[in-house]
Amino acid sequence: QVQLVESGGGLVHSGGSLRLSCVVSTFTFSRYSMSWYRQAPGKEREWVAAIDSVGRVTKYTDAVQGRFTISRDNFKKTVFLQMNSLKPEDTAVYYCNAPSGGGNYYFPHWGQGTQVTVSS
């Protein structure tokens, strides 16, 4: 089964930066568009950012537009999320996956996620 391993989270002050990484254990990584998601305590998981299979097209939810940057390294089978100007409302567990439409995902087994905590 494909494994998703997220890392790079931590505790930062408001205005700080973090760079998240997600390594995907599949040789076909370069075929998939990838997304980052986050889940805050007591809330549903929400989509944050997406990148196409070759890294040319990116999209962001309005709440992070201009502050976060998604990128990927297909050779390393890794997707990144550079997070700048962090706000307390960015506090959540962050996950990556490859959406396949209709609320489904190509990788059914989610990783453990990485905790991001932003203090005010």
Side-chain angles (χ1 to χ4, degrees), residues 8-19 67-68 82-91 94 115-120:
L11 171 64
V12 296
H13 292 297
S14 181
S17 297
L18 285 171
R19 189 191 193 210
R67 300 188 297 120
F68 291 10
Q82 177 67 44
M83 306 187 298
N84 299 328
S85 302
L86 283 161
K87 304 176 181 180
E89 50 264 44
D90 295 318
T91 294
Y94 285 71
Q115 175 71 51
V116 172
T117 303
V118 185
S119 63
S120 57

Side-chain angles (χ1 to χ4, degrees), residues 16 36 57 68 93:
W36 280 97
V57 179
F68 291 10
V93 179

Side-chain angles (χ1 to χ4, degrees), residues 54-69:
V54 295
R56 291 178 186 159
V57 179
T58 58
K59 297 180 181 179
Y60 302 90
T61 189
D62 288 347
V64 309
Q65 180 75 49
R67 300 188 297 120
F68 291 10
T69 303

Side-chain angles (χ1 to χ4, degrees), residues 14-110:
S14 181
S17 297
L18 285 171
R19 189 191 193 210
L20 307 184
S21 300
C22 174
V23 179
V24 184
S25 67
T26 176
F27 289 108
T28 59
F29 175 75
S30 63
R31 298 180 186 176
Y32 299 99
S33 294
M34 294 295 298
S35 283
W36 280 97
Y37 302 83
R38 65 186 180 185
Q39 187 167 18
K43 295 186 177 181
E44 293 187 354
R45 184 172 56 213
E46 66 172 346
W47 170 78
V48 175
I51 188 167
D52 72 341
S53 61
V54 295
R56 291 178 186 159
V57 179
T58 58
K59 297 180 181 179
Y60 302 90
T61 189
D62 288 347
V64 309
Q65 180 75 49
R67 300 188 297 120
F68 291 10
T69 303
I70 188 171
S71 61
R72 66 189 295 158
D73 184 330
N74 283 348
F75 182 74
K76 295 182 178 179
K77 297 180 287 184
T78 302
V79 59
F80 304 97
L81 187 66
Q82 177 67 44
M83 306 187 298
N84 299 328
S85 302
L86 283 161
K87 304 176 181 180
E89 50 264 44
D90 295 318
T91 294
V93 179
Y94 285 71
Y95 304 88
C96 72
N97 210 319
S100 59
N104 299 311
Y105 304 90
Y106 285 111
F107 309 129
H109 301 285
W110 291 75

